[in-house]
Every structure is written in structure tokens, then in C-alpha cells.
Amino acid sequence: MQGRVTWVNGLTFLGEAGSGNAVVMEGGQKNNGVRPMEMILLGVGGCASYDVVSILEKARQDVIGCHVELKGHRPDAVPAPFEKIEMEFVVRGRNIKEAQVARAVELSAEKYCSASIMLGSAGVEIVHSYRIEEI
């Protein structure tokens, strides 16, 4: 995996991934892009969501939608690493089995999501929960 981050101006940077995709990052003064710590939070959510949806699809669950609500808790100090991340998965679909959702979230947390496993190994408390919305 490779990437490049290039300074644009002020505190705005362009992140370019080896995949060819790009994202604008900013330090918060002008709100021109996502803040770097927000990128980490979103990355964890994206990694875990990918796992959850993939596992549910393999379990033949009729998933219509899925998102994860994220809350990152950081101290009011410098540096301010995440101390705790709360992840609530909201799975929408028809006849979704709760046991399948619970298993998908557990497998992501304990076996598949490299991002959350990495942060957990570094001492970040990661709390997973889920909610099912039947349609």
C-alpha cells in the first residue's frame, strides 16, 4: 500500500492513495476538508462496515442498507489520540436475523477489521453495538 500527502496551502493537504483515489484534508481552520483524525475514525467505520455487510450478504440476509454511527472520544490535551471509539451499526432490511447481525459485528471486531484491531491493540477502547430496522 502506498500513498502521498501534498501540502496545498495553509493547513490544507491533498492525500492521494496508490489506488488513484484522492481526499482533501485540512487542519480545521477553514474547514476545507476532512481532518486527519476524522479520517482515522471514518476509516475504522468503513473497514468494519465492509466486513458487516459482506458477512450478512454471505449469510443470505436481505440487507437493504447499512451505516455505522461513530463517536470518537479524545482527551482535551496534546497529543489527543482516541481513547474510545463507539460504533453503532444500523442494518436495514427484510427478515434480518438478529443472531446474524450480532455474529457479523463480532467477527468484524475480533477477526476481520484490521483498522479496529490495530487501534484496539494500541489501547483504544472500541465498543460495538447494532440496531436492526425492519422494512
Side-chain angles (χ1 to χ4, degrees), residues 7 61 66 77 87 93 112 125-126:
W7 175 51
Q61 296 299 292
C66 180
M87 305 173 74
Y112 294 116
E125 178 187 1
I126 301 180

Side-chain angles (χ1 to χ4, degrees), residues 6 12 32 42-43 45 58 60-61 63-64 71 76 124 128:
T6 304
T12 302
N32 289 332
L42 294 175
K58 287 177 186 167
R60 301 184 197 278
Q61 296 299 292
V63 176
I64 303 299
K71 291 182 184 171
D76 189 17
V124 179
H128 298 81

Side-chain angles (χ1 to χ4, degrees), residues 59-119:
R60 301 184 197 278
Q61 296 299 292
D62 190 5
V63 176
I64 303 299
C66 180
H67 70 270
V68 62
E69 299 287 339
L70 302 160
K71 291 182 184 171
H73 302 271
R74 301 168 63 197
D76 189 17
V78 175
F82 287 114
E83 295 176 330
K84 179 179 180 179
I85 294 175
E86 297 176 57
M87 305 173 74
E88 182 184 29
F89 295 89
V90 181
V91 179
R92 294 181 63 236
R94 295 180 191 90
N95 302 314
I96 302 292
K97 294 179 182 167
E98 183 174 355
Q100 293 289 342
V101 175
R103 179 159 169 70
V105 171
E106 178 184 345
L107 283 171
S108 174
E110 296 178 3
K111 187 174 181 180
Y112 294 116
C113 180
S114 300
S116 61
I117 291 168
M118 176 184 67
L119 290 173

Side-chain angles (χ1 to χ4, degrees), residues 11 25-36:
L11 292 178
M25 295 181 285
E26 204 264 336
Q29 276 72 25
K30 295 187 180 188
N31 208 25
N32 289 332
V34 180
R35 293 182 178 108

